[in-house]
Amino acid sequence: MNEILIKKTTDFFQKKFNSVADKVILSPGRINIIGEHIDYNDGYVLPAAIDKIICFAFEKNNTTTANISAIDLDESVVIDVTKDTELSDAVWTNYLRGVLLQLKLKGFEVGGFNCSFSSNIPTGSGLSSSAALECGFLYGINEMFNLGIKPIDMALMGQKAEHWVGVNCGIMDQFSSVMGLENKVIKIDCRTLDYTYHDANFVNYSLILFDSNVKHSLFTSEYNVRRIECTEGLGILKANFPEINSFRDCTEEQVVSLKSKMTDKVYRRSLYAVKEIKRVILACAALDKGDIATLGKLMFETHDGLSKDYEVSCEELDYLVDLAKAEEVVIGSRLMGGGFGGCTITLVKKGSEEAIKEKFTKLYKEKFNIDLKIYDVKVSNGTSIYIN
Ligand code: GLA
């Protein structure tokens, strides 16, 4: 499938710019096994890059303008790379402008270039197409102008670009897009950015993404509110337990002991963060042992916390997880990513995949009159240069 995307992108480039692309970059979306909304809470996360990608074609043009075409949107933009950039109404361009701004802020000088890109990462599904856009774009510029930016710094600059666009996100998405490895999940310590790779081996279970096909507009505002609520909760914890620096250092008991000092929301957000950090450690150990039953149980617990305490789920996602819970052949399921729509990640016993897909599609349609979308994904390499 990606070969088709690559051809589409390079053919377009050739027609549009009348020249063969010099660099072709592939930048993936991501899944996350467990560890949701704790990358910005000093937690651990367990994501992986996937085989859904954005393909970019690039070449330098010896001017000071970047001519960029979003093939799928049939839109183009011209940006003067020497000028300060501002947010635009063409939202897709902002992720790229954000990257150019980060380069400028770090003192990198880049010249003009031509670029076209095309994607097969569904947008609004919680698969981090925006991180893929930022990281692939930056990777290409880094290659063209030999800037020598290290992969982790690319992830950090991508994250800053996303902040500039308006989502005060953690590091998980950009990190996994850049650092992914085939058949490996990455356990990232979001406090230190240390990371280890673990086999993405779900033994006799298959990983399936069920896309609710809804994206509630609350996402950006509520995401940023969650961060503020967590900061408030942590502040109260710190004030009462001087040894605490982050949710990583907290016990559930400490949070419970301060219930009366917190608003109900701040209390529940804090409790969720502390519990989720612990769950990721247990889940990663279970994965290493091939104990998919424990991993699945933890995934269900995460969903419960995201839905009831962190309140980032929605009716559609809760329904999909309830359907999963009712099936003996499903061992774990939860909403994935920021929430308020997008996908659930679900582990289904090998051999039962098609029956479950069919059943969920039918029941989901009956309940919401919405077509369920389904993705089988492969755990794949991070952002890389394509050499044919
Ligand atoms: C979005 C953000 C990530 C992370 C997830 C929730 O994808 O970009 O940084 O916080 O939500 O886990």
Side-chain angles (χ1 to χ4, degrees):
M1 191 167 63
N2 287 343
E3 296 302 319
I4 299 171
L5 187 75
I6 294 165
K7 186 163 181 345
K8 174 179 166 188
T9 310
T10 49
D11 283 356
F12 180 97
F13 187 96
Q14 194 164 352
K15 266 204 198 129
K16 170 98 187 171
F17 301 111
N18 214 3
S19 136
V20 177
D22 175 40
K23 304 253 185 290
V24 176
I25 308 294
L26 311 180
S27 191
R30 64 106 187 89
I31 51 169
N32 184 24
I33 309 302
I34 196 162
E36 221 60 270
H37 281 279
I38 50 169
D39 56 349
Y40 55 83
N41 279 321
D42 276 348
Y44 301 95
V45 291
L46 203 57
I50 55 174
D51 59 343
K52 294 200 177 293
I53 59 162
I54 304 182
C55 175
F56 296 82
F58 286 99
E59 79 171 348
K60 288 199 269 191
N61 62 15
N62 300 319
T63 69
T64 55
T65 53
N67 305 304
I68 308 165
S69 290
I71 302 173
D72 310 320
L73 298 175
D74 196 16
E75 285 181 30
S76 294
V77 66
V78 177
I79 301 173
D80 183 336
V81 294
T82 61
K83 293 222 174 97
D84 284 343
T85 185
E86 282 173 13
L87 286 170
S88 145
D89 290 340
V91 176
W92 67 271
T93 69
N94 289 334
Y95 300 99
L96 312 178
R97 293 173 196 275
V99 166
L100 291 170
L101 177 65
Q102 286 311 312
L103 284 165
K104 202 165 277 171
L105 291 175
K106 293 234 175 236
F108 290 108
E109 278 185 19
V110 303
F113 56 91
N114 299 331
C115 168
S116 66
F117 68 90
S118 181
S119 171
N120 58 27
I121 308 173
T123 51
S125 301
L127 300 181
S128 296
S129 55
S130 62
L133 189 56
E134 293 143 5
C135 296
F137 187 63
L138 180 51
Y139 197 104
I141 296 174
N142 189 41
E143 286 291 326
M144 271 188 295
F145 297 99
N146 294 315
L147 303 179
I149 306 172
K150 293 198 189 79
I152 292 192
D153 291 329
M154 276 194 237
L156 288 165
M157 288 167 74
Q159 178 194 22
K160 292 229 172 73
E162 184 96 29
H163 289 180
W164 184 71
V165 178
V167 180
N168 204 6
C169 66
I171 189 63
M172 173 169 78
D173 302 350
Q174 291 79 9
F175 196 107
S176 26
S177 185
V178 174
M179 302 297 290
L181 268 191
E182 196 172 356
N183 294 325
K184 300 281 178 189
V185 299
I186 323 168
K187 183 182 178 197
I188 311 168
D189 176 335
C190 300
R191 178 149 75 172
T192 61
L193 293 191
D194 288 341
Y195 58 99
T196 48
Y197 291 106
H198 300 255
D199 289 339
N201 178 5
F202 305 100
V203 196
N204 43 352
Y205 286 86
S206 298
L207 201 150
I208 302 176
L209 305 180
F210 291 104
D211 185 346
S212 63
N213 211 351
V214 295
K215 180 80 193 163
H216 297 292
S217 57
L218 289 166
F219 180 85
T220 304
S221 60
E222 285 298 310
Y223 186 96
N224 293 342
V225 168
R226 289 301 170 280
R227 286 204 69 154
I228 295 167
E229 289 166 340
C230 287
T231 307
E232 188 180 328
L234 185 59
I236 298 170
L237 280 153
K238 278 182 176 170
N240 286 274
F241 299 103
E243 72 277 18
I244 289 177
N245 278 314
S246 83
F247 284 114
R248 177 85 68 85
D249 313 319
C250 290
T251 63
E252 280 173 44
E253 291 71 29
Q254 284 172 318
V255 180
V256 173
S257 74
L258 296 177
K259 186 166 194 240
S260 62
K261 297 199 170 155
M262 297 179 181
T263 64
D264 178 52
K265 278 187 181 166
V266 167
Y267 170 71
R268 286 184 291 123
R269 310 303 190 235
S270 305
L271 197 58
Y272 166 81
V274 172
K275 287 184 176 174
E276 182 71 350
I277 291 173
K278 306 243 151 57
R279 275 193 287 265
V280 181
I281 299 167
L282 297 174
C284 191
L287 180 67
D288 286 343
K289 278 193 285 182
D291 178 1
I292 308 303
T294 299
L295 173 64
K297 186 172 154 276
L298 291 162
M299 287 167 70
F300 278 131
E301 283 176 17
T302 293
H303 185 80
D304 216 49
L306 286 169
S307 177
K308 300 197 180 105
D309 286 335
Y310 218 71
E311 294 180 291
V312 292
S313 188
C314 59
E315 218 192 329
E316 295 86 353
L317 291 169
D318 286 346
Y319 182 69
L320 286 171
V321 174
D322 283 345
L323 286 183
K325 267 191 196 146
E327 296 294 334
E328 218 178 294
V329 292
V330 180
I331 206 156
S333 179
R334 59 176 202 82
L335 80 81
M336 191 183 74
F340 301 104
C343 290
T344 62
I345 177 165
T346 301
L347 290 168
V348 180
K349 191 147 205 180
K350 289 205 165 109
S352 301
E353 297 95 330
E354 293 315 309
I356 289 292
K357 285 180 188 172
E358 216 172 283
K359 187 167 178 184
F360 285 17
T361 303
K362 181 169 172 285
L363 292 171
Y364 191 74
K365 178 82 179 176
E366 276 168 18
K367 174 91 177 166
F368 298 108
N369 197 24
I370 300 173
D371 292 321
L372 187 63
K373 292 199 224 156
I374 301 173
Y375 316 122
D376 295 306
V377 289
K378 276 207 195 83
V379 170
S380 303
N381 283 328
T383 312
S384 59
I385 192 156
Y386 174 77
I387 299 157
N388 64 8

